[in-house]
Amino acid sequence: MPTALITGATAGIGAAFARRLAADGFSLVLVARDEERLRSSAETLHRRYGVKTETLPADLAVDEDIAKVEERLREGVDLLVNNAGFGHPGSFLDVPVADEVRMLKVHCEAVLRLTLAALPGMRERDRGAVVNVASVAAFFTRGTYSASKAWVVNFSESAAAELTGTRVRVMALCPGFVRTEFHDRASMDTSGIPGFLWLSADKVVAAAMRDLALGARVSVPDIRYKVIVGVGRLIPRGLTGQVSRRLGRR
């Protein structure tokens, strides 16, 4: 039975990955900060799908906790989903620098370290995959969040290129607005987001798993966001920055 480790596994896209992979017969290693919620999620998944579930409480903004997850990955997994992440309300200049550094720790350093902990074993076995959850924001300019997600996309593509010729895959997943707890946790005002732009977490994961099987290095779920990203690449970055500042949060 294959094993998947998922960070940020108790809510949103991470929880959707857990449901999908459990249904596909994966044993799960669930990583999140909230130990009680983690245990509840693991028990629910075990009862519903009959798969083995492990819990690994960890805050990926803390070095010691990242090290714990690295250690588990070196024991061997077949799929790593780097999903943990968060956002900030307000503009870049209004966010305390400590909060910005914490974001970079979770979005960039943790993704780097966990990916590098998982890949050597996968390469040795010549099988396995890593999905790094980024965002459509990676293709636009919107403060540290979009900058960090742009790094995730570039890093994932670079790692995938390094593994050319093997059966190990690395993919960046770049969803748009997804109905999860993400925006509420960050106290973001989402009233300006048109209803037609919202996606469901389960459909995002279904698209991700399909694209991973097809060997994609970057997955942008839903035709609406494929068009947005395509058009965005043709528009001057200064203009896309102005649009992104007006849309999504205030």
Side-chain angles (χ1 to χ4, degrees):
M1 183 177 290
T3 300
L5 186 148
I6 307 164
T7 69
T10 58
I13 294 173
F17 264 110
R19 291 190 297 272
R20 167 60 188 265
L21 294 172
D24 287 347
F26 279 76
S27 295
L28 301 177
V29 183
L30 307 178
V31 180
R33 291 182 300 166
D34 188 329
E35 189 168 357
E36 182 177 346
R37 191 174 186 185
L38 197 57
R39 188 182 306 110
S40 175
S41 296
E43 291 173 354
T44 298
L45 290 163
H46 174 68
R47 286 196 305 269
R48 181 172 181 181
Y49 299 102
V51 298
K52 179 182 177 183
T53 56
E54 299 176 43
T55 60
L56 184 50
D59 181 347
L60 297 182
V62 177
D63 279 327
E64 293 79 2
D65 285 8
I66 297 176
K68 288 193 303 183
V69 184
E70 286 177 304
E71 182 179 356
R72 177 60 185 85
L73 287 167
R74 292 189 184 105
E75 294 175 10
V77 301
D78 300 282
L79 174 62
L80 165 63
V81 180
N82 279 313
N83 168 73
F86 60 93
H88 295 310
S91 65
F92 166 68
L93 293 177
D94 296 330
V95 178
V97 67
D99 292 345
E100 296 283 26
V101 170
R102 183 171 181 271
M103 175 179 282
L104 292 175
K105 185 87 170 180
V106 174
H107 290 186
C108 299
E109 182 180 336
V111 168
L112 170 69
R113 290 174 57 178
L114 299 188
T115 300
L116 292 179
L119 284 181
M122 292 180 179
R123 183 170 58 180
E124 183 177 343
R125 296 185 298 274
D126 196 28
R127 69 176 189 275
V130 177
V131 175
N132 293 322
V133 179
S135 170
V136 162
F139 305 105
F140 299 91
T141 53
R142 180 59 180 168
T144 304
Y145 182 82
S146 66
S148 69
K149 293 304 186 179
W151 181 91
V152 171
V153 173
N154 192 306
F155 168 68
S156 300
E157 290 185 287
S158 299
E162 290 279 340
L163 293 161
T164 299
T166 75
R167 294 190 297 168
V168 180
R169 296 170 179 171
V170 179
M171 185 183 79
L173 171 60
C174 301
F177 295 112
V178 184
R179 293 198 182 280
T180 68
E181 300 174 6
F182 177 88
H183 298 92
D184 289 339
R185 285 184 173 184
S187 301
M188 296 179 185
D189 178 3
T190 59
S191 60
I193 302 172
F196 70 89
L197 288 180
W198 288 102
L199 306 176
S200 80
D202 290 323
K203 289 184 178 179
V204 166
V205 170
M209 295 302 292
R210 181 184 64 245
D211 287 346
L212 183 66
L214 292 172
R217 295 182 178 181
V218 177
S219 171
V220 179
D222 195 271
I223 187 62
R224 289 165 289 185
Y225 282 102
K226 293 182 193 300
V227 171
I228 289 170
V229 170
V231 171
R233 286 173 167 167
L234 301 175
I235 298 174
R237 292 185 68 83
L239 179 57
T240 62
Q242 292 178 32
V243 172
S244 67
R245 282 195 297 272
R246 295 179 181 179
L247 178 67
R249 61 184 186 186
R250 291 194 291 270

